[in-house]
Amino acid sequence: MTSRAIAFLANKKITVVLLLALIPLAVLEGQRRSVSGAVFIAFAVPLVLNLCCCLFCHLKATRRFTVERAGFLLFHAAFLMIIAGGIATYFTYSVGYVEVVEGEGFRDSRESYTEWTQQFGTRSGTGIGITVKKINLDFWPNGQIRYYDNIITLRDGVDVREAVLGVNGSVRHGTLLINLARYYGLAPHFTVITPAGENAGYVYVSDVTKNNTFDIPLAGRKATVSYDRLSDRKLDISVDLGKGRTVSRKIEPGDIIDLGNGSLKLTGIHLWNGLTVVRDVGKWPTYAGFAFFLTGLGMYYRRIFFGEGK
């Protein structure tokens, strides 16, 4: 690359134009999650080239270093760190969502999650075991949450540790961040027995809708379960038996409903909540870049802040 080309690419007007294009894109992505990562890359790559040329030209022209000049170099280098962190996030970021019953667990693998988002490539997972040992939910008399957290167990090979996962916090394990997803409710456990066989499983009922309609396996029936309050240990159930026949009643653990071609037993009622497991290796380089940027800015404008001469 010739000196003339480097000088052209180091033009500060190019820096301003690219930054003014990236800032609205970042805001739009933060609010709507609708901007493709490829669009960011398309603007980030020329900005990286521009900043590198700016640094090169400044270093070449610098004969004597001062605090201000060092600050100028630092906050330009910090921009490069922020962009590098953003690109690392684009290539490595993933988030999985899973609904977990109290006392149950799962492994960090793509197949374990009911919802999965990854911007690039395929993350096979770390394989660590995550168990929700205890769900603590407490409410005010008006129904608002007073206290909510999880006690979780992390099993990584032979290493096992316990951690408290709160609403506004995360539990870090290596490159993973485990968070509460703010979804929870009751999970009744049913067992269906028919001449064709036996099946059992949980039905997740969200505390937002307080009801869920599901297919009863092997029996060819549909049922709807609902509840009024999380403290209830009874459910309202309605089963469509076909030919216009419906059975509706309130049940508690141990109760059995005759399906005609089998039986449906409520074997237990448990709490469940949603967890998200996030991997973002570009997060900390981005945070460090912001810290260096502010430091460099302070160094560059220190005369304004502290009234010192050159």
Side-chain angles (χ1 to χ4, degrees), residues 55 58 62 64-77 295-297 299-300:
L55 285 170
H58 194 76
T62 298
R64 183 174 65 87
F65 272 98
T66 63
V67 174
E68 288 80 6
R69 285 179 180 142
F72 179 86
L73 292 173
L74 183 59
F75 74 69
H76 275 73
T295 302
L297 207 61
M299 293 167 63
Y300 187 69

Side-chain angles (χ1 to χ4, degrees), residues 194-217:
T194 71
E198 182 176 327
N199 206 330
Y202 291 100
V203 176
Y204 293 87
V205 188
S206 169
D207 200 59
V208 176
T209 60
K210 290 186 169 57
N211 67 80
N212 189 11
T213 299
F214 62 100
D215 293 315
I216 302 175

